[in-house]
Amino acid sequence: MKQFHGPDRVATMLDNDLIRADTPGCARDDESVTVFLDSAGSSLPPRIVTDTVIAHLLRESQVGGYRAATERLDDRARVRTEIAALINAAPSTLALSDSASRSWADFFYSVPLSAGDRILISGSDYASNAIAALQRARATGASVEPIPSDSSGQIDLEALRAMVDERVKLVSLLHVPTNGGLINPAREATQIAHSVGALVLLDACQSIGQISIDVTELGVDALSATGRKWLRGPRGTGFLYLRRELAESLEPTRLDLHGARWSGPDRYQLAEDATRFEFWEHDVAARLGLGAAVRYLLDLGPQNVFDAIAERAAHLRAALPKLPRVTVRDIGTRHSGIVSFTVDGVEPMAVRERLAEQGITVTVSHASSTLLDMTDRGLPAVVRASPHCFVSYPELDRFVAAVAAL
Ligand SMILES: *Cc1c(COP(=O)(O)O)cnc(C)c1O
């Protein structure tokens, strides 16, 4: 198995050639291989991630899943430690899961709510979050209210300040929306929510792995994230962070013999940390793969990777508006690595298909994923290009030229 060589390979900037050599999905001299611009959807993993997953599956096939898992006890513990290091949390405050939506819901459904309580959601909130909020509102008699966006499109902090009161129990903050470049001011919004005692659940699905996240500095009560996007981990991985006091006090809506212990005929005892939000059974290979992805990122130096993503997105944001029929659709004042745009006279789905014919992978974000924001802006869909650090500048230019020629 080819091992990743440590940070000695990088000085202050990333060596794109080396990163590409670590990424089997990157084109070498073969132009027929895709220009990959969908890390906001499901990224290309480094070789070490796929090797780790496959090696574990093969081992399971030889000795069975239980023994294979026991052999990797230390590595499995390290998955939690690596994620904790990335977001400046304690390992005991993390609950690993199979998706960000699962983790988001695990927390959200466990927060007690009753009639008259208020749930606030972000203007660019994700459909799954909004659907869960609406379902719980229906069941409990709580209300769901969107936080208005300011003229730039980000969360309107003044409007939030004006709308909070002690009936607000939970605020769903969207860090980086799925449909474009915005980075919301999560720390400031959290402070406002906390001023009335509300809990803050941050959806960091699109921010983890592409911008710096420090849960202590952000001050959020909980955070959900996925493995397959900017972290470049396997599919079917995600995690929940809970502030320590919550990890030790909040009771999950569902438990199994991993989240709790059957301590007497009529008793059970909750796990003392965030693992109370986990179930026992999980895809061990995928989880080890997630650990390898986070380790790889830590070895490269997260800030180097974040800078490389930001520079590539900035390159696209400079180039695309120069094309006569192209409109960049990003909002907010701080921009992420997700560049969204539309092309006059060509439907987003057609843009995606015609680029795919030329070996360029982008995706389309539909209004149904971020209904409030897209309805406000009258957009049924946008094309989304999300370049990770492994994308080269010639590839970016090939993409821009292809859009120009549509
Ligand atoms: C992708 C995405 C999710 C869902 O993540 P899963 O791992 O598919 O559950 C949640 N929120 C945002 C903003 C996303 O982009």
Side-chain angles (χ1 to χ4, degrees):
M1 190 188 298
K2 181 181 172 291
Q3 290 290 332
F4 170 69
H5 313 103
D8 52 311
R9 299 194 324 177
V10 284
T12 53
M13 277 170 45
L14 298 180
D15 181 333
N16 186 246
D17 289 341
L18 288 176
I19 304 248
R20 292 172 69 78
D22 285 342
T23 306
C26 283
R28 301 269 155 9
D29 301 323
D30 177 3
E31 285 255 318
S32 69
V33 181
T34 183
V35 173
F36 191 84
L37 301 172
D38 192 21
S39 286
S42 190
S43 190
L44 302 180
R47 180 177 284 105
I48 185 66
V49 170
T50 313
D51 284 352
T52 299
V53 173
I54 291 173
H56 192 73
L57 290 176
L58 288 174
R59 188 64 185 154
E60 286 182 337
S61 77
Q62 296 299 310
V63 300
Y66 284 8
R67 183 165 150 202
T70 307
E71 290 170 352
R72 303 295 298 273
L73 270 180
D74 290 348
D75 294 324
R76 286 161 60 211
R78 207 168 299 137
V79 178
R80 217 177 288 274
T81 324
E82 321 264 36
I83 297 172
L86 182 65
I87 64 171
N88 191 26
S92 63
T93 59
L94 296 174
L96 306 180
S97 80
D98 59 4
S99 80
S101 300
R102 171 97 54 206
S103 291
W104 194 94
D106 282 346
F107 179 82
F108 179 75
Y109 281 87
S110 300
V111 173
L113 288 175
S114 46
D117 288 345
R118 301 168 69 202
I119 306 166
L120 305 187
I121 65 173
S122 302
S124 55
D125 222 321
Y126 191 64
S128 301
N129 306 349
I131 291 165
L134 292 169
Q135 187 192 31
R136 280 209 84 200
R138 191 176 286 178
T140 60
S143 64
V144 180
E145 298 160 56
I147 305 166
S149 304
D150 69 15
S151 57
S152 80
Q154 70 176 25
I155 281 180
D156 187 332
L157 295 170
E158 285 320 308
L160 177 61
R161 210 184 303 279
M163 79 191 288
V164 291
D165 61 24
E166 64 293 337
R167 288 180 303 138
V168 176
K169 291 292 172 334
L170 207 139
V171 177
S172 165
L173 287 185
L174 211 291
H175 207 186
V176 169
T178 209
N179 65 330
L182 167 67
I183 302 175
N184 266 318
R187 190 167 63 90
E188 294 78 357
T190 298
Q191 284 166 355
I192 295 169
H194 283 172
S195 71
V196 293
L199 293 176
V200 172
L201 170 52
L202 181 68
D203 179 336
C205 220
Q206 291 292 5
S207 51
I208 188 95
Q210 72 141 320
I211 60 172
S212 165
I213 292 184
D214 179 329
V215 288
T216 310
E217 190 201 314
L218 288 170
V220 295
D221 300 285
L223 171 152
S224 59
T226 196
R228 72 174 184 278
K229 296 179 180 175
W230 298 95
L231 284 179
R232 306 177 65 195
R235 295 205 62 175
T237 57
F239 69 86
L240 173 68
Y241 154 82
L242 295 111
R243 192 161 48 77
R244 187 189 294 276
E245 300 83 83
L246 286 168
E248 293 170 357
S249 66
L250 187 64
E251 173 140 2
T253 52
R254 287 174 176 79
L255 291 168
D256 78 348
L257 48 59
H258 172 83
R261 194 168 59 85
W262 197 9
S263 50
D266 57 358
R267 286 193 307 278
Y268 63 90
Q269 207 171 347
L270 291 170
E272 275 164 17
D273 57 17
T275 59
R276 61 176 59 187
F277 280 88
E278 293 176 354
F279 270 21
W280 184 82
E281 175 57 359
H282 62 275
D283 184 337
V284 178
R287 205 166 275 183
L288 288 169
L290 175 63
V294 176
R295 175 81 261 152
Y296 182 79
L297 173 61
L298 292 171
D299 282 349
L300 288 179
Q303 195 56 52
N304 294 326
V305 173
F306 305 157
D307 290 346
I309 294 168
E311 284 158 16
R312 281 158 178 74
H315 186 80
L316 294 184
R317 284 198 182 91
L320 288 172
K322 292 187 188 137
L323 308 182
R325 292 180 299 140
V326 173
T327 310
V328 172
R329 297 294 183 175
D330 296 328
I331 53 175
T333 52
R334 241 186 106 199
H335 286 144
S336 81
I338 304 178
V339 182
S340 57
F341 64 96
T342 53
V343 183
D344 251 10
V346 192
E347 291 296 319
M349 287 300 275
V351 174
R352 188 188 76 173
E353 251 105 77
R354 286 166 64 183
L355 293 176
E357 283 161 15
Q358 302 168 59
I360 298 168
T361 302
V362 295
T363 194
V364 174
S365 193
H366 297 276
S368 54
S369 293
T370 43
L371 188 73
L372 298 177
D373 171 54
M374 295 286 271
T375 306
D376 270 358
R377 294 197 276 154
L379 290 170
V382 292
V383 186
R384 187 177 73 174
S386 45
H388 213 301
C389 64
F390 52 76
V391 178
S392 70
Y393 282 90
E395 286 181 329
L396 292 177
D397 292 336
R398 203 180 125 199
F399 158 71
V400 173
V403 174
L406 281 173

